[in-house]
Amino acid sequence: MSLLQYLSQRLLLLALLISAGIFYIVYILYQWGLDDSTEYYLQQDSQWAQELINNNQSLPNSTQFKQFYLIPNHSVNSLPAIYSGLLEETSPNAFFFLQDNHSYHYGLFQIIDDERALVVVHQFPINDNAEGISLIEVSIILSAVLILMMLYGAWFIYQRISRSMQALQQAVKFAQPTANSNTQVNTQMNSRMDSTKNEFIEIDNIIKSLNQALIELNDKSQQERLFIQTLSHELRTPMATVQVALELLERKEFEDNVREKLTIIFTSNQQMQNLAQDLLYLWSDTDKEQALKEKQQNLNLEHEFQQVVMELDQVFHCQQRFSINYPKGSSETLEVSASKAQVKLLLNNLCKNAIVHSEGEIQVSLNPDKIIICNTKSQRKVDPLVAGAGIGLIIAKRAAEQLGWKVQLIETEIEYEVCVVINHN
């Protein structure tokens, strides 16, 4: 539910509740006003009639809406039957009210002297209108106006809130830092914090907190990048020295067991060099520029995956553990346009993670829009040095980020599932 829908529904419900009150209030106020005004005019007409009687003049002529009755000997039986029965129970000099199927009857019963009494009656049709508009119509119009005001109020409040939300979105736009522009991003954030003032204090505080958090995140990201770059660069020199020494030792004659150990050392050193190179490649200062300049190729995911499995099989003897499912139709649907080096880094590290953290079969599903690698969890403890302490997944996510893809990890009690969502744009 959107914010506008929420505000509209709640204010509309409020309008309906208030409208019910309006119907009741209109009728109550009308009745009160009718009572007060009628009593006043009854007194005025009674005084007028008494002045005429005192001057020995006849009573005013009765009409449909105003009637005058002079009662001799205070006998109410001379009145119309509709009034006589009521006035027998009404004390003199008192107002009375009667309602039939067609009209409201408001009256005043007053004693003039010992022999006579005066009754003045005002009659109003029940379906009476005010200026041609009935009470029902007045109530409906007021309710409609109220509902429209509520809906307009919902829209107006939404507009005010949405402007503050847009300010939050603008603050988030600066959350795309690069190594070269990190200082510039922080400067822009700081200037924005100083210049942007919102009408709501709470939203303004959130924006300031968000901007500060983004600045700290950018700084931390830059420090991590520099650390990885420095570490990768520093490791390359000693590993290159070890590589040269191992190549010189290979020229000499050694026993088979020594030769086997030298081979293991040589292979491990090459893996360390490759890892350092990958880290430097993925976290380089010019990673985005390099990614843009990286040659895009039309790659077949099936072929690339098979190549990665073959290379890993030389170390882990794992080729038989992979069960690969292909989409229906031609294998050409598995082609993507991407950097070969980044795709290889992604697949290599995801497959190595699956090999190290499981003992059984590894299910792989290759689709045009995603790659799914699923394996059961291993019950044995995995040596962090062998597993890479999770660095494989970090490298895979970094490679996917540069490709514009997304890595999603789903973990249950019995299995891991990694889904790579491919973006073909």
Side-chain angles (χ1 to χ4, degrees):
M1 178 184 294
S2 68
L3 179 61
L4 180 59
Q5 290 176 332
Y6 177 82
L7 290 173
S8 299
Q9 291 179 6
R10 295 305 183 272
L11 291 179
L12 182 59
L13 178 61
L14 179 61
L16 293 176
L17 292 175
I18 296 177
S19 297
I22 285 179
F23 275 97
Y24 178 76
I25 291 173
V26 166
Y27 277 101
I28 292 298
L29 292 179
Y30 175 78
Q31 194 67 43
W32 287 354
L34 187 62
D35 291 344
D36 292 343
S37 61
T38 298
E39 290 178 0
Y40 173 77
Y41 286 112
L42 281 172
Q43 290 177 344
Q44 293 292 319
D45 287 341
S46 178
Q47 292 176 4
W48 175 40
Q50 290 182 38
E51 290 177 359
L52 293 177
I53 294 173
N54 293 333
N55 294 328
N56 297 320
Q57 298 181 14
S58 61
L59 289 175
N61 295 327
S62 297
T63 64
Q64 179 184 357
F65 304 106
K66 187 182 298 185
Q67 299 161 9
F68 298 89
Y69 300 98
L70 185 61
I71 306 173
N73 300 322
H74 304 171
S75 176
V76 296
N77 294 328
S78 61
L79 294 174
I82 190 174
Y83 303 131
S84 61
L86 178 64
L87 291 179
E88 287 178 353
E89 302 176 358
T90 303
S91 61
N93 302 312
F95 295 96
F96 63 89
F97 170 77
L98 179 66
Q99 179 181 349
D100 58 20
N101 294 331
H102 305 287
S103 303
Y104 299 112
H105 301 263
Y106 289 88
L108 176 60
F109 178 29
Q110 283 186 314
I111 301 295
I112 299 177
D113 51 36
D114 295 337
E115 298 180 355
R116 294 175 296 180
L118 177 64
V119 176
V120 180
V121 178
H122 288 178
Q123 184 175 338
F124 303 93
I126 291 179
N127 60 347
D128 197 10
N129 296 338
E131 296 294 335
I133 303 177
S134 67
L135 290 177
I136 295 293
E137 292 173 341
V138 170
S139 300
I140 291 175
I141 292 174
L142 289 176
S143 298
V145 171
L146 178 63
I147 290 174
L148 290 176
M149 290 176 62
M150 287 292 186
L151 292 177
Y152 174 76
W155 178 83
F156 181 74
I157 294 172
Y158 171 77
Q159 292 296 322
R160 297 281 294 271
I161 295 177
S162 66
R163 285 199 295 268
S164 297
M165 294 302 175
Q166 289 174 0
L168 284 174
Q169 292 177 350
Q170 291 294 330
V172 175
K173 285 185 179 181
F174 291 96
Q176 307 291 335
T178 62
N180 289 335
S181 62
N182 189 69
T183 302
Q184 181 182 359
V185 168
N186 291 350
T187 302
Q188 291 175 343
M189 286 184 179
N190 286 321
S191 63
R192 186 172 184 81
M193 288 173 60
D194 297 334
S195 62
T196 303
K197 297 297 180 182
N198 292 278
E199 54 185 327
F200 301 114
I201 297 175
E202 294 81 1
I203 296 296
D204 193 50
N205 291 336
I206 291 174
I207 292 177
K208 290 180 179 179
S209 300
L210 177 60
N211 285 334
Q212 185 62 36
L214 291 177
I215 291 174
E216 294 175 358
L217 180 62
N218 291 337
D219 292 338
K220 184 177 180 181
S221 176
Q222 176 67 0
Q223 291 174 4
E224 290 178 352
R225 183 189 302 275
L226 292 174
F227 172 77
I228 293 175
Q229 292 174 13
T230 304
L231 178 63
S232 302
H233 183 73
E234 293 297 330
L235 287 176
R236 292 175 67 185
T237 301
M239 286 189 296
T241 303
V242 173
Q243 181 76 14
V244 173
L246 290 172
E247 290 176 356
L248 293 175
L249 289 174
E250 276 190 344
R251 300 177 184 179
K252 298 183 179 181
E253 296 293 334
F254 293 102
E255 297 179 1
D256 292 341
N257 60 340
V258 177
R259 176 66 61 182
E260 183 180 353
K261 293 178 181 179
L262 286 175
T263 302
I264 294 175
I265 296 173
F266 185 84
T267 303
S268 299
N269 189 66
Q270 282 189 325
Q271 291 177 353
M272 291 177 65
Q273 285 183 313
N274 292 336
L275 176 60
Q277 183 64 30
D278 293 343
L279 293 175
L280 190 62
Y281 171 74
L282 292 174
W283 275 272
S284 172
D285 286 343
T286 57
D287 55 350
K288 289 190 177 180
E289 296 178 5
Q290 186 174 355
L292 292 174
K293 294 179 181 179
E294 189 75 31
K295 185 178 180 181
Q296 301 290 310
Q297 304 179 38
N298 290 328
L299 305 176
N300 187 282
L301 289 179
E302 176 186 355
H303 174 74
E304 297 301 323
F305 197 88
Q306 293 288 2
Q307 288 290 113
V308 168
V309 172
M310 289 177 59
E311 293 176 3
L312 291 173
D313 184 63
Q314 297 177 7
V315 180
F316 298 100
H317 307 290
C318 58
Q319 191 165 9
Q320 300 301 321
R321 293 176 57 188
F322 283 89
S323 176
I324 305 176
N325 300 317
Y326 302 103
K328 296 180 181 180
S330 174
S331 61
E332 292 181 358
T333 58
L334 293 175
E335 287 191 354
V336 296
S337 178
S339 166
K340 184 179 180 67
Q342 292 171 348
V343 171
K344 185 176 179 180
L345 275 175
L346 174 65
L347 297 177
N348 183 282
N349 284 279
L350 291 181
C351 289
K352 182 180 176 182
N353 267 9
I355 294 168
V356 172
H357 291 93
S358 67
E359 297 176 347
E361 186 179 45
I362 301 172
Q363 296 286 339
V364 180
S365 177
L366 298 179
N367 297 283
D369 56 347
K370 62 183 176 181
I371 303 170
I372 300 176
I373 302 176
C374 184
N375 60 275
T376 57
K377 286 185 177 180
S378 176
Q379 300 302 319
R380 59 182 175 83
K381 291 185 178 181
V382 181
D383 186 353
L385 296 178
V386 177
I391 196 171
L393 186 59
I394 296 175
I395 294 176
K397 288 183 177 180
R398 180 67 176 180
E401 179 185 343
Q402 291 192 350
L403 287 167
W405 299 357
K406 186 176 181 181
V407 176
Q408 300 174 342
L409 177 63
I410 303 173
E411 181 179 355
T412 65
E413 294 181 355
I414 59 174
E415 68 179 12
Y416 289 104
E417 180 180 302
V418 178
C419 178
V420 181
V421 181
I422 300 174
N423 183 8
H424 290 277
N425 293 333

